[in-house]
Amino acid sequence: MTIPCCLYSSVTPPTISKALATHNLLETLSFEDVLAFTSCASTLKRDIMLPQLQTTPDNVPPDTLPPSICEFLQLSTGLTTDTVLACWRAFKEIVWVMPSHHELAAEHERAFREHGQRLGLTSVSLYPPHMHCTQSNCSVAQSQVPLKKAESRQVVLHTLHGAIPAWSVHLICRTCNTIYTNNFCIAERRRWYYGGVPEYIQVADHHFVDRRLANLWVELHLKGHVSAQACANIYDSALSMREENKLGDAGWYAHSFQ
């Protein structure tokens, strides 16, 4: 997968193995440590550059970190100050060409849109919260045998960042025939909702809504006296990004949410 680089790209980053070999303090770093440091530092490139001297070129990483940045990286990663400084010396070229979170998220979605959908893969899959049967009267519930019988359907997930394709995966217990979905289970011909409010709320057979978007609609209803139809119209025209995501072109269930 080709990752777009940020505007600071006139450096050739070393491999991670070469970077780790530059200081003995880095020998005990885990993969999670390296990922935490580089991802945090990469979001602070502009903050790192701002206090540097005007003569410092902005297309290569500076040799030193501002004290506040160093302290933040130490606190946020749990590494010692000496290790943070060693990490900067080792990984600064890698950090400097890493894409922003926005660029990485956009590339992530593009990869799934272009290559994943035809393989039955999307960036979000809505599974039940349980991996095994939870019915007290089911003979396999106590043994916690993983549920492997599955049925999937195409759905559209409506979020504050657009309408995106997703799979809703139903898991079925082969013993008691209970059907587990993302929001509820169906047992003995009755629908049983799980406790709490789910992150993604099913509002129709092929439509889920991000809880934060649902909260926005509630506020528009209560404080702006906006009708449900108007909320749907506003979302479709301003937030759904239907043209950019091209759900219909991918053969997805792309009916307008109105």
mmCIF file of all heavy atoms in Angstrom, residues 135-164:
data_model
loop_
_atom_site.group_PDB
_atom_site.id
_atom_site.type_symbol
_atom_site.label_atom_id
_atom_site.label_comp_id
_atom_site.label_asym_id
_atom_site.label_seq_id
_atom_site.Cartn_x
_atom_site.Cartn_y
_atom_site.Cartn_z
ATOM 1 N N GLN A 135 -27.044 -17.950 26.057
ATOM 2 C CA GLN A 135 -28.351 -18.390 26.548
ATOM 3 C C GLN A 135 -28.185 -19.410 27.679
ATOM 4 O O GLN A 135 -27.467 -20.407 27.526
ATOM 5 C CB GLN A 135 -29.171 -18.998 25.408
ATOM 6 C CG GLN A 135 -29.461 -18.038 24.265
ATOM 7 C CD GLN A 135 -30.225 -16.814 24.723
ATOM 8 O OE1 GLN A 135 -31.301 -16.921 25.321
ATOM 9 N NE2 GLN A 135 -29.677 -15.646 24.428
ATOM 10 N N SER A 136 -28.846 -19.155 28.799
ATOM 11 C CA SER A 136 -28.683 -20.019 29.968
ATOM 12 C C SER A 136 -29.205 -21.433 29.728
ATOM 13 O O SER A 136 -28.742 -22.382 30.375
ATOM 14 C CB SER A 136 -29.392 -19.402 31.175
ATOM 15 O OG SER A 136 -30.784 -19.218 30.904
ATOM 16 N N ASN A 137 -30.162 -21.585 28.811
ATOM 17 C CA ASN A 137 -30.733 -22.911 28.551
ATOM 18 C C ASN A 137 -30.061 -23.637 27.394
ATOM 19 O O ASN A 137 -30.542 -24.678 26.943
ATOM 20 C CB ASN A 137 -32.236 -22.800 28.284
ATOM 21 C CG ASN A 137 -32.534 -21.911 27.079
ATOM 22 O OD1 ASN A 137 -31.640 -21.250 26.563
ATOM 23 N ND2 ASN A 137 -33.783 -21.906 26.643
ATOM 24 N N CYS A 138 -28.938 -23.087 26.907
ATOM 25 C CA CYS A 138 -28.224 -23.718 25.785
ATOM 26 C C CYS A 138 -27.131 -24.633 26.334
ATOM 27 O O CYS A 138 -26.341 -24.228 27.209
ATOM 28 C CB CYS A 138 -27.626 -22.662 24.866
ATOM 29 S SG CYS A 138 -26.727 -23.355 23.465
ATOM 30 N N SER A 139 -27.045 -25.827 25.829
ATOM 31 C CA SER A 139 -26.108 -26.823 26.358
ATOM 32 C C SER A 139 -24.647 -26.477 26.088
ATOM 33 O O SER A 139 -23.754 -26.994 26.770
ATOM 34 C CB SER A 139 -26.426 -28.203 25.768
ATOM 35 O OG SER A 139 -26.303 -28.179 24.351
ATOM 36 N N VAL A 140 -24.373 -25.625 25.089
ATOM 37 C CA VAL A 140 -22.972 -25.291 24.781
ATOM 38 C C VAL A 140 -22.557 -23.933 25.340
ATOM 39 O O VAL A 140 -21.418 -23.514 25.166
ATOM 40 C CB VAL A 140 -22.732 -25.307 23.254
ATOM 41 C CG1 VAL A 140 -23.019 -26.670 22.684
ATOM 42 C CG2 VAL A 140 -23.541 -24.233 22.556
ATOM 43 N N ALA A 141 -23.489 -23.237 26.024
ATOM 44 C CA ALA A 141 -23.169 -21.903 26.527
ATOM 45 C C ALA A 141 -22.055 -21.941 27.561
ATOM 46 O O ALA A 141 -21.150 -21.096 27.550
ATOM 47 C CB ALA A 141 -24.424 -21.251 27.110
ATOM 48 N N GLN A 142 -22.083 -22.928 28.469
ATOM 49 C CA GLN A 142 -21.082 -22.991 29.527
ATOM 50 C C GLN A 142 -19.690 -23.307 28.996
ATOM 51 O O GLN A 142 -18.687 -22.857 29.536
ATOM 52 C CB GLN A 142 -21.494 -24.047 30.566
ATOM 53 C CG GLN A 142 -22.743 -23.682 31.363
ATOM 54 C CD GLN A 142 -22.585 -22.387 32.142
ATOM 55 O OE1 GLN A 142 -21.520 -22.128 32.709
ATOM 56 N NE2 GLN A 142 -23.630 -21.572 32.151
ATOM 57 N N SER A 143 -19.612 -24.060 27.933
ATOM 58 C CA SER A 143 -18.309 -24.418 27.363
ATOM 59 C C SER A 143 -17.707 -23.300 26.524
ATOM 60 O O SER A 143 -16.543 -23.363 26.136
ATOM 61 C CB SER A 143 -18.436 -25.683 26.510
ATOM 62 O OG SER A 143 -19.368 -25.481 25.456
ATOM 63 N N GLN A 144 -18.521 -22.263 26.239
ATOM 64 C CA GLN A 144 -18.067 -21.090 25.482
ATOM 65 C C GLN A 144 -17.415 -21.476 24.152
ATOM 66 O O GLN A 144 -16.344 -20.988 23.791
ATOM 67 C CB GLN A 144 -17.110 -20.247 26.328
ATOM 68 C CG GLN A 144 -17.766 -19.661 27.572
ATOM 69 C CD GLN A 144 -16.926 -18.581 28.234
ATOM 70 O OE1 GLN A 144 -15.790 -18.343 27.875
ATOM 71 N NE2 GLN A 144 -17.514 -17.911 29.211
ATOM 72 N N VAL A 145 -18.082 -22.364 23.440
ATOM 73 C CA VAL A 145 -17.633 -22.737 22.095
ATOM 74 C C VAL A 145 -17.840 -21.541 21.169
ATOM 75 O O VAL A 145 -18.932 -20.966 21.133
ATOM 76 C CB VAL A 145 -18.423 -23.953 21.582
ATOM 77 C CG1 VAL A 145 -18.019 -24.286 20.151
ATOM 78 C CG2 VAL A 145 -18.198 -25.144 22.498
ATOM 79 N N PRO A 146 -16.829 -21.106 20.418
ATOM 80 C CA PRO A 146 -16.990 -19.953 19.541
ATOM 81 C C PRO A 146 -18.095 -20.180 18.506
ATOM 82 O O PRO A 146 -18.247 -21.280 17.969
ATOM 83 C CB PRO A 146 -15.621 -19.827 18.865
ATOM 84 C CG PRO A 146 -14.680 -20.519 19.785
ATOM 85 C CD PRO A 146 -15.452 -21.638 20.409
ATOM 86 N N LEU A 147 -18.860 -19.130 18.255
ATOM 87 C CA LEU A 147 -19.900 -19.187 17.238
ATOM 88 C C LEU A 147 -19.252 -19.042 15.865
ATOM 89 O O LEU A 147 -18.556 -18.058 15.599
ATOM 90 C CB LEU A 147 -20.919 -18.060 17.458
ATOM 91 C CG LEU A 147 -21.687 -18.094 18.783
ATOM 92 C CD1 LEU A 147 -22.504 -16.826 18.962
ATOM 93 C CD2 LEU A 147 -22.592 -19.326 18.847
ATOM 94 N N LYS A 148 -19.481 -20.020 14.979
ATOM 95 C CA LYS A 148 -18.836 -20.025 13.668
ATOM 96 C C LYS A 148 -19.829 -19.969 12.509
ATOM 97 O O LYS A 148 -19.433 -19.714 11.375
ATOM 98 C CB LYS A 148 -17.955 -21.266 13.522
ATOM 99 C CG LYS A 148 -16.751 -21.279 14.448
ATOM 100 C CD LYS A 148 -15.817 -20.119 14.147
ATOM 101 C CE LYS A 148 -14.568 -20.164 15.008
ATOM 102 N NZ LYS A 148 -13.653 -19.043 14.706
ATOM 103 N N LYS A 149 -21.104 -20.214 12.782
ATOM 104 C CA LYS A 149 -22.095 -20.089 11.726
ATOM 105 C C LYS A 149 -22.445 -18.613 11.574
ATOM 106 O O LYS A 149 -22.888 -17.971 12.528
ATOM 107 C CB LYS A 149 -23.344 -20.902 12.054
ATOM 108 C CG LYS A 149 -24.400 -20.870 10.947
ATOM 109 C CD LYS A 149 -25.629 -21.702 11.318
ATOM 110 C CE LYS A 149 -26.679 -21.645 10.207
ATOM 111 N NZ LYS A 149 -27.891 -22.430 10.561
ATOM 112 N N ALA A 150 -22.236 -18.066 10.374
ATOM 113 C CA ALA A 150 -22.384 -16.625 10.185
ATOM 114 C C ALA A 150 -23.183 -16.303 8.936
ATOM 115 O O ALA A 150 -23.146 -17.041 7.945
ATOM 116 C CB ALA A 150 -21.015 -15.959 10.111
ATOM 117 N N GLU A 151 -23.892 -15.201 8.989
ATOM 118 C CA GLU A 151 -24.570 -14.622 7.843
ATOM 119 C C GLU A 151 -24.225 -13.139 7.797
ATOM 120 O O GLU A 151 -24.233 -12.476 8.829
ATOM 121 C CB GLU A 151 -26.089 -14.804 7.940
ATOM 122 C CG GLU A 151 -26.551 -16.247 7.877
ATOM 123 C CD GLU A 151 -28.058 -16.382 8.020
ATOM 124 O OE1 GLU A 151 -28.723 -15.335 8.261
ATOM 125 O OE2 GLU A 151 -28.570 -17.515 7.911
ATOM 126 N N SER A 152 -23.900 -12.647 6.621
ATOM 127 C CA SER A 152 -23.487 -11.248 6.478
ATOM 128 C C SER A 152 -24.403 -10.526 5.503
ATOM 129 O O SER A 152 -24.908 -11.119 4.551
ATOM 130 C CB SER A 152 -22.038 -11.159 5.991
ATOM 131 O OG SER A 152 -21.161 -11.829 6.868
ATOM 132 N N ARG A 153 -24.591 -9.234 5.765
ATOM 133 C CA ARG A 153 -25.377 -8.418 4.837
ATOM 134 C C ARG A 153 -24.709 -7.058 4.675
ATOM 135 O O ARG A 153 -24.065 -6.542 5.586
ATOM 136 C CB ARG A 153 -26.812 -8.235 5.337
ATOM 137 C CG ARG A 153 -26.962 -7.462 6.642
ATOM 138 C CD ARG A 153 -28.412 -7.205 6.993
ATOM 139 N NE ARG A 153 -29.159 -8.428 7.167
ATOM 140 C CZ ARG A 153 -30.465 -8.456 7.446
ATOM 141 N NH1 ARG A 153 -31.127 -7.315 7.603
ATOM 142 N NH2 ARG A 153 -31.093 -9.603 7.604
ATOM 143 N N GLN A 154 -24.850 -6.510 3.489
ATOM 144 C CA GLN A 154 -24.312 -5.188 3.218
ATOM 145 C C GLN A 154 -25.152 -4.143 3.947
ATOM 146 O O GLN A 154 -26.378 -4.176 3.906
ATOM 147 C CB GLN A 154 -24.335 -4.885 1.724
ATOM 148 C CG GLN A 154 -23.367 -5.697 0.897
ATOM 149 C CD GLN A 154 -23.452 -5.320 -0.575
ATOM 150 O OE1 GLN A 154 -24.436 -4.750 -1.029
ATOM 151 N NE2 GLN A 154 -22.422 -5.640 -1.323
ATOM 152 N N VAL A 155 -24.473 -3.212 4.609
ATOM 153 C CA VAL A 155 -25.161 -2.097 5.260
ATOM 154 C C VAL A 155 -24.384 -0.820 4.984
ATOM 155 O O VAL A 155 -23.227 -0.853 4.551
ATOM 156 C CB VAL A 155 -25.288 -2.313 6.790
ATOM 157 C CG1 VAL A 155 -26.123 -3.546 7.094
ATOM 158 C CG2 VAL A 155 -23.922 -2.398 7.448
ATOM 159 N N VAL A 156 -25.026 0.303 5.245
ATOM 160 C CA VAL A 156 -24.376 1.602 5.164
ATOM 161 C C VAL A 156 -24.296 2.157 6.577
ATOM 162 O O VAL A 156 -25.297 2.198 7.300
ATOM 163 C CB VAL A 156 -25.147 2.573 4.251
ATOM 164 C CG1 VAL A 156 -24.496 3.956 4.270
ATOM 165 C CG2 VAL A 156 -25.183 2.042 2.827
ATOM 166 N N LEU A 157 -23.105 2.547 6.980
ATOM 167 C CA LEU A 157 -22.882 3.125 8.293
ATOM 168 C C LEU A 157 -22.782 4.635 8.140
ATOM 169 O O LEU A 157 -21.891 5.147 7.464
ATOM 170 C CB LEU A 157 -21.601 2.561 8.903
ATOM 171 C CG LEU A 157 -21.149 3.153 10.241
ATOM 172 C CD1 LEU A 157 -22.220 2.975 11.307
ATOM 173 C CD2 LEU A 157 -19.834 2.529 10.679
ATOM 174 N N HIS A 158 -23.697 5.343 8.779
ATOM 175 C CA HIS A 158 -23.744 6.803 8.693
ATOM 176 C C HIS A 158 -22.979 7.386 9.861
ATOM 177 O O HIS A 158 -23.321 7.146 11.028
ATOM 178 C CB HIS A 158 -25.195 7.282 8.693
ATOM 179 C CG HIS A 158 -26.007 6.704 7.582
ATOM 180 N ND1 HIS A 158 -26.081 7.292 6.331
ATOM 181 C CD2 HIS A 158 -26.755 5.583 7.518
ATOM 182 C CE1 HIS A 158 -26.857 6.558 5.554
ATOM 183 N NE2 HIS A 158 -27.267 5.515 6.252
ATOM 184 N N THR A 159 -21.926 8.140 9.565
ATOM 185 C CA THR A 159 -21.075 8.738 10.588
ATOM 186 C C THR A 159 -20.958 10.238 10.350
ATOM 187 O O THR A 159 -21.403 10.758 9.318
ATOM 188 C CB THR A 159 -19.670 8.114 10.573
ATOM 189 O OG1 THR A 159 -18.937 8.630 9.445
ATOM 190 C CG2 THR A 159 -19.729 6.594 10.481
ATOM 191 N N LEU A 160 -20.334 10.926 11.288
ATOM 192 C CA LEU A 160 -20.094 12.359 11.120
ATOM 193 C C LEU A 160 -19.102 12.634 9.996
ATOM 194 O O LEU A 160 -18.987 13.771 9.534
ATOM 195 C CB LEU A 160 -19.574 12.959 12.430
ATOM 196 C CG LEU A 160 -20.593 13.081 13.571
ATOM 197 C CD1 LEU A 160 -19.892 13.439 14.865
ATOM 198 C CD2 LEU A 160 -21.674 14.100 13.228
ATOM 199 N N HIS A 161 -18.379 11.596 9.572
ATOM 200 C CA HIS A 161 -17.375 11.751 8.518
ATOM 201 C C HIS A 161 -17.837 11.140 7.198
ATOM 202 O O HIS A 161 -17.028 10.910 6.300
ATOM 203 C CB HIS A 161 -16.060 11.122 8.958
ATOM 204 C CG HIS A 161 -15.558 11.631 10.272
ATOM 205 N ND1 HIS A 161 -15.108 12.918 10.448
ATOM 206 C CD2 HIS A 161 -15.473 11.039 11.494
ATOM 207 C CE1 HIS A 161 -14.751 13.100 11.711
ATOM 208 N NE2 HIS A 161 -14.958 11.968 12.362
ATOM 209 N N GLY A 162 -19.133 10.862 7.088
ATOM 210 C CA GLY A 162 -19.663 10.355 5.836
ATOM 211 C C GLY A 162 -20.344 9.009 5.982
ATOM 212 O O GLY A 162 -20.270 8.355 7.038
ATOM 213 N N ALA A 163 -21.017 8.613 4.907
ATOM 214 C CA ALA A 163 -21.660 7.297 4.851
ATOM 215 C C ALA A 163 -20.668 6.307 4.248
ATOM 216 O O ALA A 163 -20.180 6.510 3.135
ATOM 217 C CB ALA A 163 -22.926 7.381 4.006
ATOM 218 N N ILE A 164 -20.361 5.250 4.972
ATOM 219 C CA ILE A 164 -19.344 4.304 4.529
ATOM 220 C C ILE A 164 -19.930 2.905 4.448
ATOM 221 O O ILE A 164 -20.867 2.562 5.174
ATOM 222 C CB ILE A 164 -18.112 4.308 5.465
ATOM 223 C CG1 ILE A 164 -18.518 3.889 6.883
ATOM 224 C CG2 ILE A 164 -17.452 5.674 5.478
ATOM 225 C CD1 ILE A 164 -17.342 3.752 7.834
#
